[in-house]
Amino acid sequence: MSKVIDFLQALGDGSATTAEAGLVAAVDALGVDDAMRQALINRDQDAINLILGGRQNVFCLLVPAEEDDKQQDDEPDRDDNDKEENIRAA
């Protein structure tokens, strides 16, 4: 499997040939099984992913950071002001 990953990385960074004849020769030199060989030659990313056991969907979630407590303490809440007024009124 690492041979395939290294090969895909070489394709991505441009150090491996993407011309049809060169691609077939490079894939043959890997010595992978027939299913992987066909998937690489056909540039079938779904088949390569399936053979390598990859995930179909990958999600990324970004959550903004919370405000510092110090900043929140500097600004009194409206509810706090209402409570103080209720105490004074009583």
Side-chain angles (χ1 to χ4, degrees), residues 50-89:
L50 183 67
I51 294 168
L52 293 177
R55 294 185 178 108
Q56 288 291 354
N57 297 316
V58 178
F59 297 95
C60 177
L61 177 67
L62 300 175
V63 179
E66 296 286 329
E67 288 187 23
D68 291 338
D69 290 337
K70 183 178 179 182
Q71 289 177 348
Q72 291 177 354
D73 291 341
D74 292 342
E75 300 173 11
D77 290 341
R78 187 172 184 190
D79 292 335
D80 290 341
N81 289 337
D82 292 341
K83 289 178 186 174
E84 288 177 18
E85 289 176 12
N86 289 338
I87 292 171
R88 288 183 198 152

Side-chain angles (χ1 to χ4, degrees), residues 2-75:
S2 74
K3 291 187 291 185
V4 173
I5 300 298
D6 291 340
F7 177 72
L8 292 172
Q9 182 177 1
L11 282 177
D13 67 19
S15 61
T17 182
T18 57
E20 191 64 33
L23 180 66
V24 172
V27 170
D28 287 340
L30 290 175
V32 294
D33 65 358
D34 289 337
M36 180 58 78
R37 180 182 179 280
Q38 278 307 120
L40 288 169
I41 291 172
N42 294 337
R43 301 168 195 229
D44 185 351
Q45 68 184 25
D46 290 334
I48 294 168
N49 188 38
L50 183 67
I51 294 168
L52 293 177
R55 294 185 178 108
Q56 288 291 354
N57 297 316
V58 178
F59 297 95
C60 177
L61 177 67
L62 300 175
V63 179
E66 296 286 329
E67 288 187 23
D68 291 338
D69 290 337
K70 183 178 179 182
Q71 289 177 348
Q72 291 177 354
D73 291 341
D74 292 342
E75 300 173 11

